[in-house]
Amino acid sequence: MVATPLGNLQDISIRAQAVLSEVGAIAAEDTRHSQRLLDALGIRTRLFPLHEHNEQTAVGQVIRMLETGQHVALISDAGTPAISDPGARAVARVREAGFPVVPVPGPCAAIAALSASGFVDDGFRFVGFLPAKQAARRARIGELRGQEVPLVFYESPHRIAESVEDLAAVLEPSRDIVIAREITKIYEQIARMPLGEAPAWLAADANRCRGEFVLIVSGAPAVEGLPPDAERTLALLLEELPVKSAARLAADITGAARKLLYARALELKGS
């Protein structure tokens, strides 16, 4: 599993270059895209496709090569493979077949954006791409509303405006959002602002909707007390479950903050 540059070719590691040069073949998400990378690096290793539409078939080819003693590298179009890119199913199949899977770490858009975001929370929730249709997208955002850590999304240029509008509509507009686009490329831009201002910021300049995006939204703000439905759900769960499990499940069901639910559960049990 070899991480490749997001855009700037100088981000390729010495180890990644060596591995791509020495393996018997490279499984690539888009062979035409990856061939340009290999040409720039002077690497002549054979490429074959492994993408979301042929992953189950292509991994059979990978396993057959491994059975003959060859080594195979897997790369995506950019960044770390199997992170919102094809590869995870292939990894599972290779492991089931009894072969080791070795990561060759390197660029990852989510981690790069987080490092420049300025969020100081302990942890984050990586979500990846939201659903394409608005109803499903808003429902998914609603499910994440109670998360107390920053939420990390990937988005494409043709849906960035709609996704940001839905985030602002479903989540509290006072939250902060970091919009990071074209990371490591010529037109890299990383901006932080209140979520409620983000749709207008994107609309003010058409160039701001171009490129590949990472969005980071701050976690749920602290609130006083619990919504009535969360209180009722927690009370019912406490009749059957321990405090920690009841609080966790109530948070998943209602979207309320888990810390508040846990504190309230302790109060209810103590009384």
Side-chain angles (χ1 to χ4, degrees), residues 97-125:
F99 295 101
V101 178
V102 179
V104 179
C108 175
I111 299 303
L114 277 163
S115 72
S117 70
F119 287 118
V120 297
D121 308 74
D122 293 330
F124 61 92
R125 171 76 180 270

Side-chain angles (χ1 to χ4, degrees), residues 213-253:
F213 290 83
V214 180
L215 304 174
I216 309 173
V217 181
S218 58
V223 295
E224 294 295 330
L226 289 170
D229 65 322
E231 183 92 19
R232 288 194 299 271
T233 301
L234 179 63
L236 289 170
L237 291 171
L238 282 171
E239 295 177 4
E240 304 291 339
L241 297 172
V243 166
K244 189 173 182 180
S245 298
R248 183 181 68 250
L249 188 54
D252 292 340
I253 294 171

